[in-house]
Amino acid sequence: MRRSLAIISANPMSLTGVILIALVVVSAALADFIAPFPAHRGAVVDFANFNQPPKWPNIMGTDLVGRDLFSRILYAYRISLILGVVVLALAVPVGIVAGLAAGYIGGRTQFVLMRTTDVFLSIPPLVLAMSIMGVLEPTLANGMMAVTAMWWPWYSRLVFNITLAEKEEGYVLAAELIGASRLHIMFREILPNCLPAIITKMTLDLGFVILIASSLSFLGLGVQPPTPDLGSMVAQGASYLPDSWWLTVFPGLAILVAVFGFNLLGDALRDILGADR
């Protein structure tokens, strides 16, 4: 822990990433206590204060029906983080199993799994997610399914490449000589050596999952109103630029902070895990 803190402290960009993500996570977790207008996360109308520029107590202004933007952004962060965590929790295990099996077993297993991975990787991620969401009802659960379907192949390819190199190492050959099973070798011997790369990629991908989910919402295929979502907030405000600039600028900045913070945090974890190895 001391070494990790020293590595982060020595790099201003890594420290910035940790601070930004800490703010995002705390804001999302404590939104019920931080938000000045918690009720504004839902279907609330306040026409007396609609479309107001930033001023006290609405420090980021209000939207077209009078809801406080700052409160809605805090709750939108919560939705975005939940979506990111669930998507990676579903996609990463699938990608790990496919990559380990293809890399270690080889043969027909490798051919089938990696050609399937290549098919998914050949389709632009946003296009694949849009195609899935165009068929399904645009809900949060379906949005998670759509993003998960496009995310697992990246982990499959990553773990496959690492497994190809690791299976020739001495510790794997020693495990084979003593009669260890394939499952034991894949999950107890090879997988631990894949974890630093996987953890680093997961941290980086949290920001990209939020960005893709916001893009779907921007196109009307993600989380639906009145549930607060950063992408839909940007889309709603885009028609009123430049006069009502706050409707788009503050949700856009919120997306930027999350994506930028997770990228910097991923770089910090890469340095820490690299030092540990």
Side-chain angles (χ1 to χ4, degrees):
M1 179 64 69
R2 288 195 298 268
R3 181 169 54 180
S4 299
L5 292 175
I7 293 173
I8 293 175
S9 301
N11 189 334
M13 298 303 291
S14 298
L15 184 60
T16 301
V18 172
I19 293 173
L20 289 177
I21 295 308
L23 289 175
V24 170
V25 172
V26 170
S27 298
L30 302 180
D32 294 329
F33 306 99
I34 299 174
F37 301 94
H40 287 194
R41 63 179 171 176
V44 174
V45 175
D46 183 9
F47 286 123
N49 294 303
F50 83 100
N51 203 25
Q52 294 295 313
K55 61 181 181 180
W56 187 261
N58 308 113
I59 59 175
M60 291 185 179
T62 62
D63 64 10
L64 300 175
V65 294
R67 294 175 297 193
D68 180 58
L69 275 182
F70 178 63
S71 299
R72 290 182 62 78
I73 286 174
L74 294 180
Y75 285 102
Y77 266 148
R78 178 181 292 180
I79 296 294
S80 297
L81 290 177
I82 291 174
L83 189 147
V85 170
V86 172
V87 165
L88 292 181
L90 296 174
V92 173
V94 175
I96 288 175
V97 172
L100 284 173
Y104 182 71
I105 298 175
R108 293 182 179 179
T109 301
Q110 175 182 332
F111 179 81
V112 172
L113 291 176
M114 297 318 297
R115 296 298 75 77
T116 303
T117 298
D118 290 340
V119 169
F120 278 89
L121 291 177
S122 67
I123 305 173
L126 186 58
V127 173
L128 177 60
M130 289 173 58
S131 301
I132 296 174
M133 289 302 296
V135 176
L136 302 176
E137 181 183 357
T139 63
L140 179 60
N142 290 338
M144 292 177 181
M145 292 174 54
V147 180
T148 300
M150 56 178 274
W151 225 269
W152 69 267
W154 301 98
Y155 288 90
S156 177
R157 176 62 67 180
L158 173 67
V159 174
F160 170 74
N161 291 333
I162 298 175
T163 303
L164 282 181
E166 293 293 329
K167 74 176 185 178
E168 303 298 333
E169 295 292 331
Y171 70 91
V172 174
L173 299 177
E176 292 173 345
L177 287 175
I178 64 174
S181 66
R182 285 180 172 178
L183 290 178
H184 175 90
I185 293 173
M186 287 191 295
F187 291 98
R188 297 294 298 274
E189 304 291 344
I190 298 177
L191 180 58
N193 290 283
C194 301
L195 288 180
I198 293 172
I199 293 172
T200 300
K201 182 169 175 55
M202 287 177 63
T203 306
L204 294 170
D205 281 353
L206 271 172
F208 289 116
V209 169
I210 292 174
L211 184 60
I212 291 292
S214 298
S215 300
L216 290 174
S217 297
F218 182 86
L219 298 172
L221 299 174
V223 179
Q224 298 298 302
T227 303
D229 182 84
L230 298 174
S232 60
M233 293 166 72
V234 172
Q236 292 168 5
S239 301
Y240 299 91
L241 287 171
D243 296 331
S244 301
W245 55 268
W246 57 90
L247 297 176
T248 300
V249 169
F250 289 118
L253 286 175
I255 296 174
L256 175 64
V257 168
V259 175
F260 187 57
F262 277 116
N263 274 271
L264 294 180
L265 181 60
D267 290 340
L269 286 178
R270 181 191 59 197
D271 295 339
I272 293 171
L273 295 174
D276 289 340
R277 296 191 74 183

